[in-house]
Coordinates of all heavy atoms in Angstrom, one line a residue:
A1 N -12.3 0.1 31.8 CA -11.1 0.8 31.4 C -10.8 0.7 30.0 O -10.4 1.7 29.4 CB -9.9 0.3 32.3
G2 N -10.9 -0.6 29.4 CA -10.8 -0.8 28.0 C -11.7 0.0 27.1 O -11.3 0.7 26.1
V3 N -12.9 0.0 27.5 CA -14.0 0.8 26.8 C -13.7 2.3 26.8 O -13.7 3.0 25.9 CB -15.4 0.5 27.4 CG1 -16.4 1.5 26.8 CG2 -15.7 -1.0 27.0
M4 N -13.3 2.8 28.0 CA -12.9 4.2 28.2 C -11.8 4.6 27.3 O -11.7 5.7 26.8 CB -12.8 4.6 29.6 CG -14.0 4.4 30.5 SD -15.4 5.6 29.8 CE -14.6 7.1 30.2
F5 N -10.7 3.7 27.3 CA -9.6 4.0 26.5 C -9.9 4.0 25.0 O -9.5 5.0 24.4 CB -8.5 2.9 26.9 CG -7.2 2.9 25.9 CD1 -6.3 4.0 26.1 CD2 -7.1 2.2 24.7 CE1 -5.3 4.1 25.3 CE2 -6.1 2.4 23.9 CZ -5.1 3.3 24.1
M6 N -10.7 3.1 24.7 CA -11.0 3.1 23.1 C -11.8 4.4 22.8 O -11.7 4.9 21.8 CB -11.7 1.8 22.8 CG -10.8 0.6 22.9 SD -9.3 0.7 21.8 CE -10.1 0.8 20.2
L7 N -12.8 4.7 23.7 CA -13.6 5.9 23.4 C -12.7 7.2 23.4 O -12.9 7.9 22.5 CB -14.6 6.0 24.5 CG -15.6 7.1 24.3 CD1 -16.5 7.0 23.0 CD2 -16.5 7.1 25.5
G8 N -11.9 7.3 24.3 CA -11.0 8.5 24.3 C -10.0 8.5 23.2 O -9.8 9.6 22.6
Y9 N -9.4 7.3 22.9 CA -8.6 7.3 21.7 C -9.3 7.7 20.4 O -8.8 8.5 19.6 CB -8.0 5.9 21.6 CG -7.1 5.7 20.4 CD1 -5.7 6.1 20.5 CD2 -7.5 5.1 19.3 CE1 -4.9 6.0 19.5 CE2 -6.6 4.9 18.2 CZ -5.4 5.4 18.3 OH -4.5 5.1 17.2
T10 N -10.5 7.2 20.2 CA -11.3 7.5 19.1 C -11.7 9.0 19.0 O -11.5 9.7 17.9 CB -12.6 6.7 19.1 OG1 -12.2 5.4 19.1 CG2 -13.4 6.9 17.7
V11 N -12.0 9.5 20.2 CA -12.3 11.0 20.1 C -11.1 11.9 19.8 O -11.2 12.8 19.0 CB -12.9 11.4 21.6 CG1 -13.1 12.9 21.7 CG2 -14.3 10.7 21.7
V12 N -10.0 11.5 20.4 CA -8.7 12.3 20.1 C -8.4 12.2 18.7 O -8.0 13.1 18.0 CB -7.6 11.8 21.0 CG1 -6.2 12.3 20.5 CG2 -7.9 12.2 22.5
R13 N -8.4 10.9 18.1 CA -8.1 10.7 16.6 C -9.0 11.5 15.7 O -8.6 12.2 14.8 CB -8.2 9.3 16.3 CG -7.0 8.4 16.9 CD -5.8 8.6 16.3 NE -5.8 8.3 14.8 CZ -5.0 7.6 14.1 NH1 -3.9 7.0 14.8 NH2 -5.1 7.3 12.9
A14 N -10.4 11.5 16.1 CA -11.3 12.3 15.3 C -11.1 13.7 15.4 O -11.2 14.5 14.4 CB -12.7 11.9 15.7
T15 N -10.7 14.2 16.6 CA -10.5 15.6 16.8 C -9.3 16.0 16.0 O -9.2 17.2 15.4 CB -10.3 16.0 18.3 OG1 -11.5 15.5 19.0 CG2 -10.1 17.5 18.5
L16 N -8.2 15.3 16.2 CA -7.0 15.6 15.4 C -7.2 15.6 13.9 O -6.7 16.5 13.1 CB -5.8 14.7 15.7 CG -5.2 14.9 17.1 CD1 -4.3 13.7 17.4 CD2 -4.6 16.2 17.2
S17 N -8.0 14.7 13.4 CA -8.2 14.5 12.0 C -9.0 15.7 11.5 O -8.9 16.3 10.4 CB -9.0 13.2 11.7 OG -9.3 13.1 10.3
Q18 N -10.1 16.1 12.3 CA -10.9 17.2 11.9 C -10.2 18.5 11.9 O -10.3 19.3 11.0 CB -12.1 17.3 12.9 CG -13.0 18.4 12.6 CD -14.2 18.5 13.5 OE1 -14.1 17.9 14.6 NE2 -15.3 19.3 13.2
S19 N -9.3 18.7 12.9 CA -8.4 19.9 13.0 C -7.4 20.0 11.8 O -7.1 21.1 11.3 CB -7.7 20.2 14.3 OG -6.9 19.2 14.5
S20 N -6.9 18.8 11.4 CA -5.9 18.9 10.4 C -6.6 19.2 9.0 O -6.0 19.8 8.2 CB -5.2 17.6 10.3 OG -6.1 16.5 9.9
T21 N -7.9 18.8 8.8 CA -8.5 19.1 7.5 C -8.9 20.5 7.5 O -9.0 21.1 6.4 CB -9.7 18.1 7.4 OG1 -10.6 18.2 8.4 CG2 -9.3 16.7 7.2
Q22 N -9.3 21.1 8.7 CA -9.7 22.4 8.7 C -8.5 23.5 8.4 O -8.6 24.4 7.8 CB -10.3 22.9 10.0 CG -11.7 22.2 10.1 CD -12.4 22.5 11.5 OE1 -11.6 23.0 12.3 NE2 -13.6 22.2 11.6
T23 N -7.3 23.0 9.1 CA -6.2 24.0 9.0 C -5.5 23.7 7.7 O -4.6 24.4 7.2 CB -5.2 23.7 10.2 OG1 -4.9 22.4 10.2 CG2 -5.8 24.2 11.4
G24 N -5.7 22.5 7.0 CA -5.1 22.2 5.7 C -5.3 23.2 4.7 O -4.6 23.6 3.8
A25 N -6.6 23.7 4.6 CA -6.9 24.7 3.6 C -6.3 26.0 3.8 O -5.9 26.8 2.9 CB -8.5 24.8 3.6
V26 N -6.1 26.4 5.1 CA -5.5 27.7 5.4 C -4.1 27.7 5.2 O -3.5 28.6 4.7 CB -6.0 28.0 6.9 CG1 -5.2 29.3 7.4 CG2 -7.4 28.2 7.1
T27 N -3.4 26.7 5.5 CA -1.9 26.6 5.5 C -1.5 25.8 4.3 O -0.5 25.1 4.3 CB -1.3 26.0 6.8 OG1 -1.9 24.7 7.0 CG2 -1.7 26.8 8.0
E28 N -2.2 25.8 3.3 CA -1.9 25.0 2.1 C -0.5 25.4 1.4 O 0.1 24.5 1.0 CB -3.1 25.2 1.1 CG -3.0 24.3 -0.1 CD -4.1 24.3 -1.0 OE1 -5.2 24.7 -0.5 OE2 -4.0 24.1 -2.2
S29 N -0.2 26.6 1.4 CA 1.1 27.1 0.8 C 2.3 27.0 1.8 O 3.3 27.2 1.4 CB 0.9 28.4 0.3 OG 0.6 29.4 1.3
S30 N 2.0 26.8 3.1 CA 3.2 26.8 4.1 C 3.7 25.3 4.2 O 3.2 24.3 3.6 CB 2.6 27.3 5.4 OG 1.8 26.4 5.9
D31 N 4.7 25.2 4.9 CA 5.4 23.9 5.1 C 5.0 23.2 6.3 O 5.6 22.2 6.8 CB 7.0 24.2 5.2 CG 7.6 24.6 3.9 OD1 7.0 24.3 2.8 OD2 8.5 25.3 4.0
V32 N 3.9 23.6 7.0 CA 3.3 22.9 8.1 C 2.6 21.6 7.8 O 1.9 21.6 6.9 CB 2.3 23.9 8.8 CG1 1.7 23.2 10.1 CG2 3.0 25.1 9.3
Q33 N 3.0 20.5 8.4 CA 2.4 19.3 8.3 C 1.8 18.8 9.6 O 2.6 18.9 10.6 CB 3.4 18.2 7.8 CG 3.7 18.3 6.3 CD 4.6 17.1 5.9 OE1 5.4 16.6 6.7 NE2 4.3 16.7 4.7
V34 N 0.6 18.3 9.6 CA 0.1 17.7 10.8 C 0.0 16.2 10.5 O -0.6 15.7 9.6 CB -1.3 18.2 11.0 CG1 -2.0 17.5 12.2 CG2 -1.4 19.7 11.1
T35 N 0.8 15.5 11.4 CA 0.8 14.1 11.3 C 0.1 13.4 12.5 O 0.4 13.7 13.7 CB 2.3 13.6 11.4 OG1 3.1 14.3 10.3 CG2 2.4 12.1 11.2
I36 N -0.9 12.5 12.2 CA -1.5 11.8 13.2 C -0.8 10.5 13.4 O -0.8 9.6 12.4 CB -3.0 11.6 12.8 CG1 -3.7 12.9 12.7 CG2 -3.7 10.7 13.9 CD1 -5.1 12.8 12.1
P37 N -0.2 10.1 14.5 CA 0.5 8.9 14.7 C -0.4 7.7 14.7 O -1.5 7.8 15.0 CB 1.2 9.1 16.0 CG 0.3 10.0 16.8 CD -0.3 11.0 15.7
G38 N 0.2 6.6 14.2 CA -0.5 5.3 14.2 C -0.5 4.6 15.5 O 0.3 5.1 16.4
E39 N -1.1 3.5 15.6 CA -1.2 2.8 16.8 C 0.2 2.2 17.2 O 0.5 2.2 18.4 CB -2.2 1.6 16.8 CG -3.6 2.0 16.7 CD -4.1 2.3 15.3 OE1 -3.3 2.2 14.4 OE2 -5.2 2.7 15.2
G40 N 0.9 1.8 16.3 CA 2.3 1.3 16.5 C 3.2 2.4 17.1 O 4.0 2.1 18.0
T41 N 3.1 3.6 16.6 CA 3.9 4.7 17.1 C 3.4 5.1 18.5 O 4.3 5.3 19.4 CB 3.8 5.9 16.2 OG1 4.1 5.5 14.9 CG2 4.7 7.0 16.7
L42 N 2.2 5.0 18.8 CA 1.7 5.4 20.1 C 2.2 4.4 21.2 O 2.4 4.8 22.3 CB 0.2 5.6 20.2 CG -0.4 6.6 19.3 CD1 -1.9 6.6 19.3 CD2 0.0 7.9 19.8
W43 N 2.3 3.1 20.9 CA 2.5 2.1 21.8 C 4.0 1.7 21.7 O 4.5 0.7 22.5 CB 1.7 0.9 21.6 CG 0.2 1.1 22.0 CD1 -0.7 1.5 21.2 CD2 -0.2 0.9 23.3 NE1 -1.9 1.6 21.9 CE2 -1.7 1.3 23.2 CE3 0.3 0.6 24.5 CZ2 -2.5 1.2 24.3 CZ3 -0.6 0.6 25.6 CH2 -2.0 0.9 25.5
A44 N 4.9 2.3 20.9 CA 6.2 1.9 20.8 C 7.1 2.0 22.1 O 7.9 1.1 22.3 CB 6.9 2.8 19.7
D45 N 6.9 3.0 22.8 CA 7.6 3.2 24.1 C 6.9 2.7 25.3 O 7.5 2.8 26.5 CB 7.8 4.7 24.3 CG 8.7 5.4 23.2 OD1 9.5 4.5 22.7 OD2 8.5 6.6 23.0
F46 N 5.8 1.9 25.2 CA 5.1 1.4 26.3 C 6.0 0.5 27.1 O 6.5 -0.5 26.6 CB 3.8 0.7 25.9 CG 3.0 0.3 27.0 CD1 2.3 1.1 27.8 CD2 2.9 -1.1 27.3 CE1 1.5 0.7 28.9 CE2 2.2 -1.5 28.4 CZ 1.4 -0.6 29.2
G47 N 6.2 0.7 28.3 CA 6.9 -0.1 29.2 C 8.4 0.1 29.2 O 9.2 -0.5 29.9

């Protein structure tokens, strides 16, 4: 379960990072910001 979680987390982060760099050039003049949350933010509400 730990290995699957880390693999899924890494894939999601890589996908979000890749999509934000691709859309960054297109929406350079607009006010759109893509923020990838850090680990602390993702686990802040746990429990």
Side-chain angles (χ1 to χ4, degrees):
V3 168
M4 293 300 292
F5 172 77
M6 291 304 293
L7 181 64
Y9 179 80
T10 304
V11 168
V12 168
R13 291 285 299 228
T15 304
L16 288 174
S17 177
Q18 183 180 13
S19 68
S20 68
T21 58
Q22 287 177 351
T23 58
V26 175
T27 60
E28 190 173 330
S29 62
S30 67
D31 292 330
V32 176
Q33 280 188 326
V34 177
T35 303
I36 301 172
E39 291 84 1
T41 306
L42 293 173
W43 288 96
D45 294 336
F46 184 72

